[in-house]
Amino acid sequence: MNKIIFDTDIGIDDAFALLLAYKTQNILGITTVFGNTNINQVTNNAVLFSKKFDIDVPIYKGCSNSLVYNNSFDDSINIHGNNGLGDIFNDYVNYVAYDALEFIIDSINDNPHEIILVALGPLTNIATVIKKCPELVSKIKFLIIMGGAFGTDGCFGNITCNSEFNVWSDPHAAQLIFLSKLPIVVVPLDVTHKIVITEDDLLSLNNNFLIDLSRCYMSFYRNKKFFDGMVLHDPIVISYLIEDKWFDVKDVYVEVLTDSLYRGSTLMYDKKYDFHNILHHNDSLLRKVCLNLDVVNVKSNLLSILKI
Ligand code: RIB
Ligand code: CA
């Protein structure tokens, strides 16, 4: 089993990803980051969800704000509910969550070349760790992120027409990561959009809690995207860790734009078209970007593992 650190802004899709990861990976710790809601609520939601499903993994509290921008955005249409996780938890727990950055740094030093960082929210925690301790880059097995959108399916973003939410939330963190020599696997909207979980798929899990958890997310897709079902972005990252043969991957350079209307846009550049060697990039900056997947196997595997 892969040793992973599960970095999350635990929205509804993160929660499904956490269940899938707990059943298939060795999760050393869960680190929270702002994103789908504020850091205190994210951490509270992670504690309550873990307790509900007896997920026996320590939870560490991470960054509350992006590197440069403040996080204010109109979350009146928060697709993950007012509390960021389907509005099914009402209580607030007094959980002493220690510092996520320290946990990540210590874990990588204690397990050199063994840990996969799984980032399912803004990349602020990961970027801050690399800024503080650049020498850790060579000790991380690889980073895999749910993030970005390259338009191969006609979609260049979901929070804006040009950018995907996790990258948009902290584009400077994403830019820092893609300028580093960290090995990175990118799972963008281009592939996550290919897996739609229908109402029948959800009912087939025989889990009323997950059905309740998903109600507001399903209604967002029905009312705003005009289709019956939901796209669970984050679990597809775990599907890659389960079986990367189900994914078509391209080795490309990735750049992140940080400002103006193109804040959070992700651009990929295929080395084989650099006829005049303009880029002078070295191969350590090539990233594995997933651009297609085996829909049948990824979806059936996801549903079979989550089914009670
Ligand atoms: O754009 C989708 C991503 O943003 C997912 O990780 C979702 O949970 C939100 O964090
Ligand atoms: Ca997420």
Side-chain angles (χ1 to χ4, degrees), residues 217-232:
Y217 200 52
M218 286 289 235
S219 62
F220 167 78
Y221 279 96
R222 191 175 306 114
N223 303 329
K224 299 282 183 186
K225 301 284 186 180
F226 312 114
F227 74 81
D228 268 339
M230 61 182 177
V231 175
L232 295 175

Side-chain angles (χ1 to χ4, degrees), residues 24-231:
T24 61
Q25 310 295 314
N26 173 9
I27 309 176
L28 302 183
I30 296 167
T31 51
T32 60
V33 64
F34 78 94
N36 287 312
T37 185
N38 66 70
I39 187 62
N40 292 324
Q41 188 66 54
V42 167
T43 307
N44 185 65
N45 290 343
V47 171
L48 289 171
F49 185 81
S50 296
K51 268 170 69 175
K52 173 69 186 174
F53 283 94
D54 298 324
I55 294 173
D56 183 19
V57 176
I59 295 169
Y60 300 86
K61 186 173 176 182
C63 295
S64 58
N65 205 66
S66 58
L67 296 184
V68 174
Y69 293 118
N70 67 41
N71 307 337
S72 56
F73 64 94
D74 173 7
D75 60 1
S76 59
I77 57 157
N78 193 329
I79 67 177
H80 297 272
N82 296 322
N83 77 349
L85 189 57
D87 296 328
I88 47 168
F89 293 121
N90 299 313
D91 42 349
Y92 212 86
V93 291
N94 284 324
Y95 175 90
V96 180
Y98 293 102
D99 183 74
L101 305 184
E102 268 180 51
F103 167 71
I104 295 171
I105 293 166
D106 291 347
S107 301
I108 293 166
N109 281 322
D110 295 346
N111 304 271
H113 315 299
E114 294 181 37
I115 290 181
I116 299 170
L117 299 178
V118 177
L120 307 180
L123 289 160
T124 316
N125 288 344
I126 313 300
T128 306
V129 162
I130 291 179
K131 272 174 77 178
K132 280 176 74 157
C133 309
E135 73 284 358
L136 288 183
V137 167
S138 62
K139 295 182 184 176
I140 297 166
K141 190 171 182 181
F142 63 88
L143 166 69
I144 184 166
I145 74 168
M146 190 281 130
F150 298 95
T152 59
D153 63 346
C155 171
F156 289 88
N158 55 4
I159 181 82
T160 77
C161 57
N162 298 319
S163 51
E164 176 279 325
F165 178 81
N166 288 338
V167 175
W168 177 88
S169 295
D170 195 342
H172 297 89
Q175 183 185 53
L176 186 149
I177 297 279
F178 282 110
L179 290 174
S180 78
K181 293 193 183 318
L182 189 58
I184 305 171
V185 177
V186 185
V187 180
L189 295 181
D190 305 62
V191 289
T192 62
H193 278 162
K194 290 178 165 67
I195 305 282
V196 174
I197 304 297
T198 64
E199 183 92 25
D200 287 346
D201 294 329
L202 189 56
L203 293 171
S204 74
L205 301 182
N206 301 327
N207 187 319
N208 290 330
F209 185 87
L210 292 180
I211 291 167
D212 289 343
L213 178 75
S214 307
R215 280 196 201 294
C216 65
Y217 200 52
M218 286 289 235
S219 62
F220 167 78
Y221 279 96
R222 191 175 306 114
N223 303 329
K224 299 282 183 186
K225 301 284 186 180
F226 312 114
F227 74 81
D228 268 339
M230 61 182 177
V231 175

Side-chain angles (χ1 to χ4, degrees), residues 225-242:
K225 301 284 186 180
F226 312 114
F227 74 81
D228 268 339
M230 61 182 177
V231 175
L232 295 175
H233 304 282
D234 294 331
I236 309 307
V237 170
I238 309 305
S239 301
Y240 181 94
L241 297 182
I242 293 170

Side-chain angles (χ1 to χ4, degrees), residues 261-275:
L261 292 174
Y262 287 91
R263 165 183 165 176
S265 291
T266 46
L267 310 174
M268 69 176 170
Y269 192 104
D270 193 335
K271 182 179 177 182
K272 71 171 185 283
Y273 297 117
D274 188 18
F275 303 119

